[in-house]
Amino acid sequence: MKVEGFLVKTKTVSEKLEVPGSIIPFEATELRTEVSGRVTQLNIHEGQSVSKGTLLVKLYDADLQAQLNKLKVQLEIYQQTAARQAELLKIEGISKQEYDLSVLQVNNIKADMELIATSIQKTEIRAPFSGKLGLRNISLGAYITPLTLITNIRQEDQLKLEFTVPEKYSSKIKTGDIVNFMVEGSEKLNPAKIIATEEAVTEETRSLKVRAVVTTKSPQLIPGAFAKVTLDFGQDKNALMVPTQAVIPQARYKKVIVSRNGNAVFETVTTGVRDSSFVQIISGIHAGDTIVITGLLSIKPDSKLEITKLN
């Protein structure tokens, strides 16, 4: 068969990769209550920015407050009793065991008060961090349970960028590296610093999830926005670039046809970066090989080849 060939040579190429990503809040969570109860105070204004610790919801706690007041009275009495017995113990008016029992009663009351105080604290839902509130799903007077979604809160003063890279580039992603991205409607490049990667490549997609912190602020950068991430892996001075049409895609592999001593040899290759006309071959062929670029569909393994033109 008469075919055209391409002599494989090393070439200096810039390894750049463009992948889709998403802008996500630095922190985001659903607000729910730990205990069931009736809402007696509601301080949620949809879309409002709140500071960490701001009281958002208060549940009915009159019964708990009554128990706490009762324990306070009992504590005062037991403390007075323990103080009197401490004086009697000095003059051996009572035994050490009687005094210890009084102290034990005081400590038990204090422990019960801490338990009630913890229960009261659970009737208060406060902002876990400074952020912006979402839509409110409850009203004043509603009876809510731990299954009730009260609202969402997102920290938006700082944002994260999340994207995935193909498995073959996973070893080139390093924590601390800076990547650049653009969002729809803007040509401005925004930097982000990689803070972490997933511990392993996803089996379904054979890709690695990467997360970075956005290091700039812009009105266009909002949670949920689509991002176009550009990764620059530097220059490869020994890249093997071949014409795109020379690569034969198959179900699981990619192949090229190499002419060796006039015979057609099908080699499995791994591809890298590509442009409009050429694709990088990472493995499978070597510099100096002659690959076939025409009549690929008609060639069988070990077919006799005649190179009419060498590019």
Side-chain angles (χ1 to χ4, degrees), residues 113-131:
M113 290 177 64
E114 290 180 3
L115 187 62
I116 296 297
T118 301
S119 297
I120 293 175
Q121 189 176 15
K122 289 182 179 180
T123 64
E124 300 176 350
I125 295 89
R126 297 180 179 272
F129 48 80
S130 298

Side-chain angles (χ1 to χ4, degrees), residues 280-291:
Q280 181 188 13
I281 303 299
I282 297 175
S283 64
I285 60 174
H286 303 88
D289 287 344
T290 298
I291 62 173

Side-chain angles (χ1 to χ4, degrees), residues 17-35:
L17 181 67
E18 191 174 275
V19 296
S22 297
I23 305 295
I24 61 175
F26 194 83
E27 298 288 353
T29 189
E30 296 178 343
L31 293 182
R32 302 177 188 268
T33 177
E34 291 186 58
V35 295

